[in-house]
Structure formats: structure tokens, C-alpha cells
Amino acid sequence: VIEVTLVDVFEKWQDLKSIKNVKEVELPMPNKILIILDEGANADQVTNEILQYLVKARGRIRSIRPVSPSLDEIYLGYVEGVEDR
């Protein structure tokens, strides 16, 4: 997961899903975007492509960072995977 915080609202946030290896895009706050990557995706390469897209689209970036899942999220993912079997 990559978290992008922008200075202001970015209207074209859903277009980020068109970037290769982006699985899903969420908007938890008007100026914050969470980008979920495909499993096995090269996070550095995808981050670079996201930055290039935002700069071309005139998005004013405050920060961009990878987000690691918490232990609770890892556990829930494991438990849900076991329940699906």
C-alpha cells in the first residue's frame, strides 16, 4: 500500500487505477489517497509511476510513503484466508 497526501483535493484520483500493478485506489480523506498494489508488484517502480502521473496532472504532493499492514491486519487476513477454505 502506498499513501499519498496532497496539499488539496485531487479530482482525478480514480485515474491512478490505470497505472500498471495498481489493484485498487481508495480516498479515506479528501486529500489522502491509498493505493493498493498487486501482489508481487515492484513498489519502487509503481511509486515512481504514481509520482510521474501526479506531477503531469498538476497534483500538489505533500508526502508519499509506503504503508505496512499492522499485526492486527495481518492476523485478520490470515484468519479470513483460513475461513475461506
Side-chain angles (χ1 to χ4, degrees):
V1 176
I2 299 172
E3 179 186 85
V4 179
T5 304
L6 300 155
V7 174
D8 45 22
V9 177
F10 183 68
E11 299 294 334
K12 300 177 183 178
W13 65 272
Q14 291 177 322
D15 294 346
L16 291 165
K17 193 168 182 178
S18 66
I19 294 174
K20 184 178 179 182
N21 292 315
V22 170
K23 181 177 183 178
E24 190 176 333
V25 180
E26 298 175 0
L27 191 71
M29 295 172 50
N31 69 328
K32 188 170 286 190
I33 304 167
L34 292 178
I35 302 164
I36 296 102
L37 307 182
D38 289 332
E39 192 169 326
N42 182 331
D44 292 331
Q45 181 178 354
V46 177
T47 299
N48 187 44
E49 292 177 26
I50 291 167
L51 281 170
Q52 288 179 16
Y53 176 84
L54 290 170
V55 168
K56 285 180 185 176
R58 301 191 189 276
R60 297 176 50 206
I61 304 164
R62 177 167 288 147
S63 69
I64 185 166
R65 67 184 187 98
V67 178
S68 300
S70 68
L71 289 176
D72 290 338
E73 291 169 330
I74 293 170
Y75 175 75
L76 286 175
Y78 174 76
V79 170
E80 289 171 355
V82 170
E83 291 174 357
D84 290 341
R85 293 182 189 172

